[in-house]
Amino acid sequence: MRIFALLAALGAALWLPVVVAQDGSLSGPTSSSSAAGYSCDPNQCKLPNCNCASTSPPGGLSPSDVPQFVVFTADDAIQSYTIDSVNQFLAQRKNPNGCPIKMTYFTSLAYTNYTLVTDWYVAGNEIADHTMTHVGSPPADEINGNLIALNALAGIPLDAITGFRAPYLNYTAETLQLLSDVDFTYDSSSASSIPVTDPGTDAYWPYTLDYGLANDCLTIDGVCKGQPKIPGLWEIPMYAFFDDLGVDGPHLMDPWLDAANGASTINDTATFEYMKNTFTAHYTGDRQPIGLYTHPIHLSTTYPGVSAPNSTIKMINEFLDWAQVQQDVWIVSNEQLLAWVQNPVSVSQLDSFEPLKCPTPQVDPSLSICNGIPQNEAGLLEECDFPDFPFYTCYGCPEVEVSPSNPNPPQKAPEGQQMRYRLPANCSTPFWDPIGGKCLCESSDCAFTDNSRPIGPNGANLTGGGTGGDGDDSSGGAPTPTYINFNGASPAKLWTGSLVGVISALVVGVFGAATGWALLDIY
């Protein structure tokens, strides 16, 4: 379905009106109960395909039986310094079942190093769409071109790219319809801007748009009061933190860049306190998720010429350490959160809940194969030396730079080398050899090892691990600024009917070529 929808949408791109806003900042409530005018029939809207906007946990579970999810996302380009930035918070952490943390990266392609996208995905993280060139209220070619380029040049299966976030959080009702037209599963651009302790809170669990949107009713035209009705498209609200000013003191993306409590300067101690207070309000209430929504470049320790914000980095790690001491706290990707919401199980059953496990692709480390696993692909990456933003890829350099109007140009093989083979539909990314054009494993039960540990209702392994040591305890530790490959890659996503082979054939062709290894910083 997606291939035909994409091609149709690219041929008839809609340019939408631009809404001006800062990148993820809030100054007050973006909705209200009266503005929402929301009504949903829970007798008709039932999981897993429909869910009403509600502050109560899905599936009729009581809050005490519900995990407290902390969603971790990053936006914009993927480069070595942004991966380093994320890793200093997550690389040494583990969830209660011993699995390394997975996160969602909303990826824009301008200044992105494609091979790091492949590595990040094969390591088990979610890759989501953030447009090609980071434009708010994006037209269809920005959304769809990003899908096609991620698929062709980073080897991300089309059906694995299920989520979207609008740059600057600038979206319209038309944006949401565009997402549905090309089979996205969810959007995560709306704000939850009223504290959970307020009777009129808009901190809803993820919900479908069968009965319209219930967030951002005061700021986005054409939404709420039953609009837009888009059956099956999920909205995962972005949950704000609140300082001592309550509803007048919201902090959404990169809250550590905001001054707290109406002050004129940033204070990490004050930020730490309101982050803990907001978490506690969620944890002791209906356990709606809480989110850390980051632009990693602001927290980078390796971006050239910029002083590292060490105090803020330490504070965020202390917050995560503190949160992970609480029982039944899980740091997750949007993909994992939504999988649980669609099929909610109590904390006593999480031991058998597949989306939270950590299966790892078992690829012989001695093999030379350009597959998104650094130890295998060293020396095999091809450098695409474009003047605007050079990058590396396993899948062959295009003749010209990618763009919204040309997201998958024909390949240009280096002299004396063959064209590289794009990922086909019947092979998962870590097992595909794009140089030899062969799959190391062609069955749905390829060699994956689950490294999760048992968790139980009697106090066994109910808390996660902090940054120190091997991550099995909640002790604090120094940030980890160097690249550490996460463990795990979901077989569900690696094997969900990728259409990359089809789209490669329809858009350009299936081959490409080879050169050397490096990781690139673009200044």
Side-chain angles (χ1 to χ4, degrees):
M1 289 290 293
R2 174 166 270 181
I3 176 66
F4 301 111
L6 279 172
L7 292 175
L10 281 172
L14 299 175
W15 289 90
L16 305 174
V18 174
V19 179
V20 177
Q22 292 186 9
D23 205 350
S25 65
L26 290 178
S27 58
T30 63
S31 192
S32 69
S33 298
S34 59
Y38 182 83
S39 178
C40 177
D41 184 355
N43 294 316
Q44 298 296 320
C45 184
K46 296 183 178 182
L47 294 171
N49 298 319
C50 185
N51 197 38
C52 294
S54 174
T55 58
S56 299
L61 294 173
S62 66
S64 61
D65 289 329
V66 170
Q68 178 63 61
F69 290 113
V70 178
V71 179
F72 197 105
T73 74
D75 285 16
D76 302 341
I78 294 183
Q79 279 287 344
S80 59
Y81 50 80
T82 65
I83 297 297
D84 288 346
S85 178
V86 171
N87 263 329
Q88 66 192 342
F89 304 113
L90 302 185
Q92 301 296 337
R93 296 186 183 278
K94 294 182 180 180
N95 274 321
N97 63 354
C99 287
I101 306 302
K102 300 176 183 178
M103 54 81 69
T104 299
Y105 211 119
F106 290 96
T107 310
S108 291
L109 294 189
Y111 305 107
T112 278
N113 190 352
Y114 287 84
T115 190
L116 293 180
V117 181
T118 312
D119 293 356
W120 207 236
Y121 170 73
V122 170
N125 299 286
E126 180 186 9
I127 299 298
D129 194 325
H130 198 47
T131 74
M132 292 195 76
T133 65
H134 202 269
V135 294
S137 299
D141 61 354
E142 282 279 353
I143 297 171
N144 302 327
N146 209 33
L147 280 174
I148 292 170
L150 285 169
N151 175 246
L153 294 173
I156 312 301
L158 276 176
D159 286 356
I161 308 170
T162 63
F164 177 81
R165 175 170 292 158
Y168 314 105
L169 307 186
N170 283 354
Y171 70 97
T172 66
E174 290 81 7
T175 306
L176 299 173
Q177 186 60 57
L178 285 173
L179 299 180
S180 177
D181 290 344
V182 288
D183 298 330
F184 278 89
T185 300
Y186 74 88
D187 170 72
S188 186
S189 305
S190 70
S192 165
S193 61
I194 303 173
V196 294
T197 52
D198 191 304
T201 184
D202 57 354
Y204 303 116
W205 282 86
Y207 60 97
T208 58
L209 301 188
D210 294 61
Y211 293 82
L213 196 68
N215 294 84
D216 289 346
C217 306
L218 298 174
T219 57
I220 306 295
D221 292 335
V223 303
C224 300
K225 298 188 183 300
Q227 297 301 321
K229 288 183 171 65
I230 308 176
L233 181 66
W234 287 82
E235 183 63 30
I236 303 179
M238 299 173 66
Y239 305 93
F241 288 94
F242 297 89
D243 62 29
D244 292 346
L245 300 179
V247 70
D248 294 319
H251 305 275
L252 192 58
M253 295 202 75
D254 310 303
W256 36 84
L257 299 182
D258 298 343
N261 309 318
S264 58
T265 58
I266 297 172
N267 183 317
D268 287 328
T269 300
T271 303
F272 183 49
E273 289 305 314
Y274 78 64
M275 288 175 67
K276 289 197 299 183
N277 292 339
T278 302
F279 175 96
T280 300
H282 283 239
Y283 186 72
T284 59
D286 286 320
R287 293 209 172 172
Q288 296 100 317
I290 196 74
L292 269 67
Y293 312 114
T294 73
H295 292 95
I297 194 170
H298 296 310
L299 298 167
S300 175
T301 61
T302 54
Y303 190 84
V306 176
S307 298
N310 291 319
S311 172
T312 300
I313 291 168
K314 181 175 183 290
M315 180 274 294
I316 298 169
N317 266 321
E318 288 177 348
F319 169 76
L320 290 171
D321 288 344
W322 172 84
Q324 286 197 287
V325 171
Q326 324 303 320
Q327 287 195 354
D328 302 319
V329 173
W330 294 72
I331 305 174
V332 297
S333 65
N334 271 341
E335 182 179 51
Q336 290 176 305
L337 169 64
L338 189 54
W340 184 88
V341 170
Q342 290 176 304
N343 297 280
V345 299
S346 68
V347 291
S348 64
Q349 297 175 289
L350 288 179
D351 204 32
S352 58
F353 190 65
E354 291 295 329
L356 293 179
K357 293 186 177 182
C358 45
T360 304
Q362 298 302 298
V363 180
D364 184 344
S366 68
L367 286 178
S368 292
I369 172 176
C370 209
N371 64 346
I373 300 176
Q375 63 189 4
N376 295 116
E377 66 187 5
L380 300 177
L381 297 171
E382 183 175 342
E383 180 181 3
C384 308
D385 192 17
F386 293 111
D388 290 340
F389 51 96
F391 57 85
Y392 289 82
T393 178
C394 279
Y395 300 97
C397 293
E399 291 181 350
V400 296
E401 293 183 60
V402 297
S403 66
S405 60
N406 190 14
N408 188 9
Q411 286 188 58
K412 180 181 180 181
E415 185 175 351
Q417 299 186 36
Q418 67 177 20
M419 306 288 268
R420 294 196 177 189
Y421 294 81
R422 297 289 167 80
L423 181 74
N426 64 345
C427 191
S428 54
T429 308
F431 297 104
W432 176 245
D433 179 358
I435 298 174
K438 59 185 178 181
C439 190
L440 302 184
C441 186
E442 295 180 331
S443 67
S444 59
D445 58 348
C446 272
F448 288 87
T449 298
D450 179 25
N451 295 319
S452 59
R453 68 186 182 188
I455 55 176
N458 300 315
N461 298 333
L462 296 182
T463 60
T467 58
D470 61 4
D472 284 331
D473 56 39
S474 57
S475 60
T480 306
T482 54
Y483 181 82
I484 297 175
N485 195 38
F486 286 177
N487 194 16
S490 168
K493 281 302 163 193
L494 292 169
W495 273 93
T496 48
S498 162
L499 297 176
V500 60
V502 178
I503 197 167
S504 296
L506 288 175
V507 180
V508 287
V510 294
F511 307 105
T515 342
W517 157 268
L519 294 181
L520 178 67
D521 277 331
I522 296 178
Y523 306 118

